[in-house]
Every structure is written in C-alpha cells, then in structure tokens.
C-alpha cells in the first residue's frame, strides 16, 4: 500500500525556511568570520639534534617552500612564516592561529626587528589550554614596540596525516573574539537544536516505541558529543586534557555517529527494502565503522598513520552502503526515499569531501573540517520532519488496519443479506444473561410460494423488508437475528418484551413487491439464558409455540407456558 503526503513540497519549504532562518545558518553565511586573520605562507625544515632556533629563524633560505607537507612524513619539524613587519601592541595585540592537528609538542619563536627573540613552548596538555572555538590553537604574541619580523614553530611528534602545520594566520585580538563569537553561534545553535530534537524524540519513543526513533536519538546524542569535542569546548571544560586525547575521542564519537546514522537508515525504511545481502552489508559496515573508531581511540599514539587513512576509507564504505540503501528504496518504491534523500544529501556530500580531504585527494579546508556539524544540523531538522512523516504513515496504516478489522468482524457477525446478526453472533451475545429473557421466533408463512412467485431476487427483497420491520419494532437494546432461511429471532429482557401482535400487524401492513401479501407465524417463550442448556430449553419452548401457531392456521402468535 502506498500513502502519499498531501503537501510534501510545502512541508519541505517550511523546513528549509526554518533551517536557513536559524542562527546556525546565519553564522554559516558569515563563514569568513570563522577563519579570521591574514593567511601566512609557511615553509618546512626537518628538525635535527642541536638545531638552534635563534639561528634558524634568521635563515629562512634554509627552509623548503615548494615540497608539499605530506611528502615529509612523520617526525619533528621547523615551520617558518613569511616576513610580517607588523607590531603587536596593547591596543592591537597580534596572535598566531593554526589548526589543531596530531602533534606531541609545539613551540613558537617570534623574531622582532630589534633582534629580540621570544619563545613560547607547550606540551600536549598545554596545546589544549590554547584552543579557541573551532579547535584553533592560538598563541598571543608578546607585545613589543618593535615590529614582528617572522614566526617559527617547532612541531614535535607530528603525525602529518593532514599536514605538519595547517591554516597559519596572523590575527588581531578583535579578530579572535569575533571568531569565537561566530563559532559559538554555530555550535550553540546546533547543540540547542540537537538537544531539543533529542528530548522530543525520546518522549515520542517512550510513547510509541518505534525502532527508528531510538536509532535517531542515539545518532543525535553521539553528534552532540562529537560537537563538544570538535569545537574545542571539551578543552575549556577539562583544561588538562591532552589535545591528542581530545582528537582520539573526537574520532571515536564521529565514527560511532556514522554507524548510528546507518542504523537509523536501516530502521527508518520499510523492511521490504532490505534483502538478505543488504542487511548483512549494513551490519558489517556498522561493525567496521565502530571497530575502526575504537581502534583509532586505542592505538592512535602508535599507529596513527595507518589508522587514519583506514578510518577515512571505512567512512567511504559506510557512505556507499547508504547509497545502496537508497537505491534499494528507489527500486522497491519506498514511501520515505524522497524525504530521506533530502535530509541526507548535504551530509553525504560533505562527508565524502571530508573523507577525500583526509585521504589528501582534495586540499584541506577549515570549513570542510567543521562541515559535519552544519550539515548534520540540516539533517537533524529535516530528519525530524521525516520521522513525523513516518509516524503519520504508520498511524494511517494502523487506523486503516483497525477499520478493516472492524469491517471484517462486522461481516463475520452479520447476515450478508439482511444485515442482522447471524446465528453465531446472536448466540455469542445472548448466552450468559442472568435476568429472564423473552425469545421471539418468527417464521414466514409459505415462503416457498413467495420464491416461486417473485423469484429468488424477489424473495431476497422480502427477507430484507422483514428484517427492516423487525429492527423497527424491536425494543431498544434487543438482539435481532436471522437464524437461517426465513426464520428470524428477537431477544429482549422480559421487562421490555416485543409485542408479537403488533409485529404481525406491521408485517400485514408492510408493502411488498407486486403488492404481495406476506404473513408470518410467531412463537415466544420466557426464561433464563445463563448458559447453553438454558438456550436449548428456551429455544425448544419458543419453537413449540411457533409450531402451535402454524398448526392453528398461521399468521398468528402463540406463547409457550411459563416454566414452574
């Protein structure tokens, strides 16, 4: 069965308007505020024992400015900036900003025009203390009346899976504050939206217990944790955490969120979308994604250059399984494909590009590195609409099933020709009454002659007319049934009996086809109906009275004598 949303495009438009009117979308449109400052060109020199920073910073010609950073491999390096020629003053302090990458120790040396050299050095926990929102490592340059000539970093224990030193920029204090405000707006908007959706869908799950609701909540909860670590807020809350440990936790949460997203897709679509091989592929991809995330968190310090590309490759495999699910959903005409595709289009594209960047197939970019949160904000919002749509269809299917069941039950309990209760339903409702009942049995006189005169269609019409007459004259709450053939019954409490004489008079006055006159004989009896034995006794008495009425000339009623 296929159920269509009446106004799907209007619903999508409202969702998109809500999304792009949100603070996160406003923040994204000001993306240039997030990557603040002036970009600095950098050059690389592998570090050797006995290197003197004071000498190296004055010899920029010794540095390699053409070889890609990835070609240097892992290890210790010196990274020197281009010449700067700007003062860092109290009114306008300068700061060096770089992206957070895997490294064990980081030092910054600042050469001033008066020949002075200032140095700042941090271990891995010290790097965390310098993190700004967006996971940017920021060193405020010591203030001096002399101009800054150039900067030089020493990176120790660089894994160099993304680069040795990325995104070097020279910014002012005002730039830094503006960047933090912008990134706070992005992450707070996402977190607020995610928390609201999490609580709302947990409440829905508690009430409705649909699997896809719980899968969605797990995914959103993991994304909140990922945003907490990737934004750098974790380092603000736990200042002593090593930056590499923050990155390990970040990888673990992102991989788990990807697996949960795949689980949500599995639960969201109808079961007929998933064949045996696709089900196995989903389970295998989820297990692989969680496995590589756990392996990275556990063994990154000793095998990061092996685990990082494997992590990105597993991410691409997971995405390919999502494409396989969508293809199968299209092939099996799923009701939910269009909304799922709309919700996941941006996350799939950004996740693919990010995996390509991690594999160095495309250049690194700050906003691509943080695209997951913005893309998943859009996904979470549209998926909430998808869940509402899914629940709406399930509710409609349930209502239709209940209605169909009611119709089937009614058909099973009623006589198809007259619409009265059939014998089975009549007995089921009659037997078990404690108070005394009046049973009236009516049998049409000479009905075989009616069929011969009017034909079977005419006979059926006579039976329907008699049924309408019985319903009209029966007391409120009485049971009216066709026991079979031309025999009918009315059961009512003894204090609300059916008037047999009035019923016969109504039948005589009822207009039949071709003005045919139809009469009936009636037998009545009164007695208890607590069990089946009582029913047999009561029916036998009423049937005997009916036989007496027919023997007396038909078109009359007789009552059985009351039992002692």
């Amino acid at each position: 069965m296929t159920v269509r949303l009446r106004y799907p495009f209007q619903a999508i438009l409202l969702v998109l308007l809500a999304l792009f009117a949100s603070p996160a979308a406003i923040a994204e449109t000001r993306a240039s505020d997030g990557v603040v400052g002036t970009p600095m060109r950098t050059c690389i020199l592998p570090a050797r024992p006995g290197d003197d920073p004071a000498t190296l910073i004055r010899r920029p010609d010794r540095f390699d400015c053409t070889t890609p950073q990835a070609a240097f491999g892992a290890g210790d390096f010196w990274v020197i900036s281009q010449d700067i020629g700007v003062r860092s003053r109290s009114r306008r302090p300068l700061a060096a900003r770089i992206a957070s990458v895997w490294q064990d120790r980081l030092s910054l040396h600042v050469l001033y025009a008066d020949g002075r050299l200032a140095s700042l050095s941090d271990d891995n926990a010290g790097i965390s203390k310098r993190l700004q929102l967006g996971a940017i490592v920021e060193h405020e340059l010591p203030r001096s009346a002399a101009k800054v000539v150039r900067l030089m970093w020493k990176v120790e224990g660089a894994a160099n899976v993304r680069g040795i030193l990325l995104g070097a920029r020279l910014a002012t204090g005002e730039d830094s504050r503006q960047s933090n405000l912008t990134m706070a707006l992005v992450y707070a908007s996402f977190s607020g939206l995610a928390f609201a959706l999490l609580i709302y869908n947990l409440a829905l799950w508690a009430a409705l217990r649909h699997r896809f609701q719980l899968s969605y909540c797990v995914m959103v909860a993991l994304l909140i944790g990922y945003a907490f670590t990737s934004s750098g807020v974790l380092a603000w809350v736990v200042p002593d955490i090593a930056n590499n440990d923050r990155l390990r936790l970040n990888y673990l949460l992102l991989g788990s969120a990807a697996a949960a997203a795949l689980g949500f897709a599995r639960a969201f679509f109808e079961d007929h979308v998933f064949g045996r091989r696709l089900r196995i592929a989903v389970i295998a991809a989820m297990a692989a994604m969680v496995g590589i995330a756990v392996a990275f968190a556990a063994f990154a310090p000793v095998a990061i250059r092996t685990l990082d590309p494997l992590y990105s490759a597993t991410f691409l495999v997971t995405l390919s399984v999502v494409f396989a699910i969508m293809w199968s959903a299209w092939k099996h005409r799923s009701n939910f494909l269009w909304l799922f595709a709309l919700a996941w289009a941006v996350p799939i594209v950004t996740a693919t590009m990010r995996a390509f960047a991690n594999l160095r197939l495309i250049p690194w970019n700050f906003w691509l590195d943080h695209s997951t949160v913005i893309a998943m904000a859009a996904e979470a919002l549209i998926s909430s609409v998808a869940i509402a749509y899914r629940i709406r269809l399930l509710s409609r299917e349930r209502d239709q099933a209940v209605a169909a069941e009611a119709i089937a039950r009614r058909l099973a309990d009623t006589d198809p020709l007259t619409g009265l209760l059939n014998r089975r339903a009549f007995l089921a409702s009659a037997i078990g009454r404690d108070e005394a009942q009046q049973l009236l049995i009516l049998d049409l006189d000479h009905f075989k002659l009616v069929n011969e005169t009017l034909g079977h269609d005419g006979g059926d019409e006579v039976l329907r007319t008699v049924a309408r007459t019985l319903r009209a004259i029966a007391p409120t709450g009485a049971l009216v049934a066709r026991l079979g053939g031309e025999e009918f019954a009315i059961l009512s409490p003894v204090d609300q009996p059916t008037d047999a004489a009035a019923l016969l008079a109504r039948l005589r006055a009822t207009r039949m086809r071709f003005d045919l006159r139809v009469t009936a004989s009636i037998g009545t009896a009164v007695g208890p109906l607590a069990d089946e034995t009582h029913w047999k006794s009561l029916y036998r008495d009423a049937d005997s009275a009916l036989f007496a009425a027919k023997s007396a000339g038909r078109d009359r009623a007789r009552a059985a004598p009351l039992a002692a």
Side-chain angles (χ1 to χ4, degrees):
M1 179 184 64
T2 301
V3 184
R4 299 294 180 191
L5 187 64
R6 187 176 180 186
Y7 299 114
F9 295 104
Q10 290 89 329
I12 296 169
L13 181 60
L14 289 175
V15 170
L16 294 177
L17 287 174
L19 174 65
F20 290 114
S22 68
I26 295 171
E28 187 183 1
T29 62
R30 302 178 59 189
S32 58
D33 292 342
V35 189
V36 297
T38 305
M40 292 186 288
R41 188 170 61 90
T42 56
C43 303
I44 308 296
L45 178 67
R48 294 179 298 181
D51 282 341
D52 178 28
T55 302
L56 290 176
I57 200 170
R58 291 176 171 84
R59 294 289 309 276
D61 57 298
R62 295 181 57 183
F63 287 75
D64 187 341
C65 301
T66 57
T67 303
Q69 292 188 16
F72 287 96
D76 300 342
F77 300 91
W78 297 99
V79 182
I80 199 166
S81 75
Q82 65 188 54
D83 289 351
I84 295 172
V86 180
R87 292 185 179 88
S88 180
R89 299 173 294 179
S90 298
R91 291 183 180 179
R92 195 171 183 270
L94 298 179
R97 295 166 60 87
I98 58 174
S100 171
V101 294
W102 188 280
Q103 52 200 198
D104 295 332
R105 191 175 185 86
L106 183 66
S107 302
L108 175 63
H109 305 279
V110 185
L111 177 64
Y112 293 92
D114 59 4
R116 185 168 65 93
L117 185 68
S119 298
L120 306 168
S121 183
D122 297 299
D123 60 8
N124 211 248
I127 294 173
S128 290
K129 292 181 174 65
R130 295 189 182 276
L131 282 182
Q132 305 299 307
L133 288 182
I136 297 293
V137 181
E138 182 179 279
H139 290 87
E140 186 175 336
L141 305 186
R143 297 163 192 177
S144 174
K147 292 182 178 181
V148 176
V149 177
R150 65 182 65 95
L151 308 177
M152 185 177 69
W153 294 266
K154 185 177 183 182
V155 182
E156 300 178 52
N160 196 10
V161 292
R162 305 281 180 276
I164 298 167
L165 189 140
L166 296 175
R169 287 177 174 262
L170 186 67
T172 64
E174 181 59 30
D175 290 336
S176 179
R177 286 189 293 273
Q178 183 61 53
S179 174
N180 280 336
L181 285 173
T182 300
M183 297 307 298
L185 186 59
V186 171
Y187 281 98
S189 298
F190 169 77
S191 300
L193 174 65
F195 270 114
L197 292 174
L198 178 63
I199 294 170
Y200 176 70
N201 282 281
L202 274 176
L204 280 180
W205 174 78
L208 302 176
R209 299 287 176 169
H210 294 308
R211 272 190 316 148
F212 58 84
Q213 293 173 297
L214 190 58
S215 301
Y216 179 79
C217 290
V218 171
M219 179 190 72
V220 171
L222 289 169
L223 286 172
I224 291 173
Y226 168 73
F228 185 66
T229 58
S230 67
S231 64
V233 173
L234 176 63
W236 290 16
V237 176
V238 188
D240 294 327
I241 189 173
N243 190 49
N244 287 351
D245 290 342
R246 179 191 68 82
L247 290 172
R248 291 159 70 186
L249 184 59
N250 192 33
Y251 273 69
L252 177 62
L253 289 170
L254 181 58
S256 301
L262 198 56
F264 168 68
R266 171 65 181 91
F268 182 74
F269 285 108
E270 306 94 328
D271 285 338
H272 69 264
V273 169
F274 297 88
R276 180 174 176 274
R277 283 188 289 186
L278 186 55
R279 288 197 299 269
I280 293 174
V282 170
I283 294 171
M286 291 176 64
M289 196 70 251
V290 172
I292 190 63
V294 171
F296 189 97
F299 304 112
V302 295
I304 185 173
R305 287 182 64 83
T306 300
L307 291 171
D308 187 83
L310 189 58
Y311 183 97
S312 299
T314 306
F315 223 102
L316 290 175
V317 170
T318 302
L319 290 174
S320 69
V321 174
V322 174
F323 280 115
I325 292 173
M326 294 173 67
W327 169 258
S328 181
W330 177 80
K331 190 168 62 173
H332 290 88
R333 299 183 180 277
S334 168
N335 286 321
F336 315 120
L337 175 61
W338 65 272
L339 199 49
F340 183 87
L342 180 67
W344 284 89
V346 175
I348 287 173
V349 171
T350 55
T352 302
M353 293 178 64
R354 190 174 178 188
F356 286 167
N358 292 348
L359 294 170
R360 299 172 184 167
L361 301 176
I362 60 176
W364 175 88
N365 178 274
F366 173 83
W367 282 106
L368 182 59
D369 213 32
H370 291 269
S371 62
T372 300
V373 170
I374 298 172
M376 292 309 294
E379 184 281 327
L381 189 58
I382 300 177
S383 285
S384 67
V385 177
I387 286 176
Y389 178 49
R390 181 83 158 87
I391 293 173
R392 179 175 180 267
L393 293 190
L394 286 172
S395 299
R396 180 176 291 183
E397 290 172 1
R398 179 203 61 201
D399 294 344
Q400 290 175 343
V402 169
E405 183 181 356
I407 292 172
R409 190 183 301 115
R410 183 178 176 184
L411 290 174
D413 291 344
T414 58
D415 172 58
L417 178 63
T418 63
L420 300 179
L421 292 175
N422 58 28
R423 186 183 186 89
R424 182 193 61 79
F426 176 76
L427 293 179
S429 300
I431 296 175
R433 301 189 175 200
D434 295 329
E435 67 276 6
Q437 303 288 313
Q438 182 207 51
L439 175 63
L440 181 151
I441 299 177
L442 179 148
D443 190 85
L444 295 179
D445 297 330
H446 304 296
F447 189 69
K448 182 179 180 183
L449 183 60
V450 172
N451 276 334
E452 290 174 353
T453 303
L454 300 180
H456 286 287
D457 289 342
D460 289 346
E461 181 59 34
V462 168
L463 292 175
R464 283 191 286 266
T465 303
V466 170
R468 288 194 293 269
T469 303
L470 293 179
R471 271 196 295 260
I473 206 166
T476 303
L479 299 179
V480 184
R482 181 188 179 199
L483 299 183
E486 62 271 18
E487 185 177 73
F488 298 85
I490 300 177
L491 183 74
S492 59
V494 74
D495 57 349
Q496 293 179 305
T498 302
D499 188 339
L503 176 56
L504 289 174
R506 177 73 69 89
L507 276 177
R508 294 186 198 107
T510 300
R511 184 185 179 91
M512 299 291 177
R513 292 184 67 179
F514 303 109
D515 292 328
L516 183 70
R517 184 171 179 270
V518 175
T519 62
S521 300
I522 293 176
T524 63
V526 173
L529 260 180
D531 53 37
E532 191 171 349
T533 302
H534 286 155
W535 160 252
K536 290 179 179 178
S537 175
L538 187 62
Y539 181 78
R540 182 173 60 248
D541 291 346
D543 190 55
S544 296
L546 174 64
F547 181 77
K550 285 185 175 293
S551 298
R554 295 184 171 85
D555 190 20
R556 65 199 64 214
R558 292 288 183 267
L562 292 176

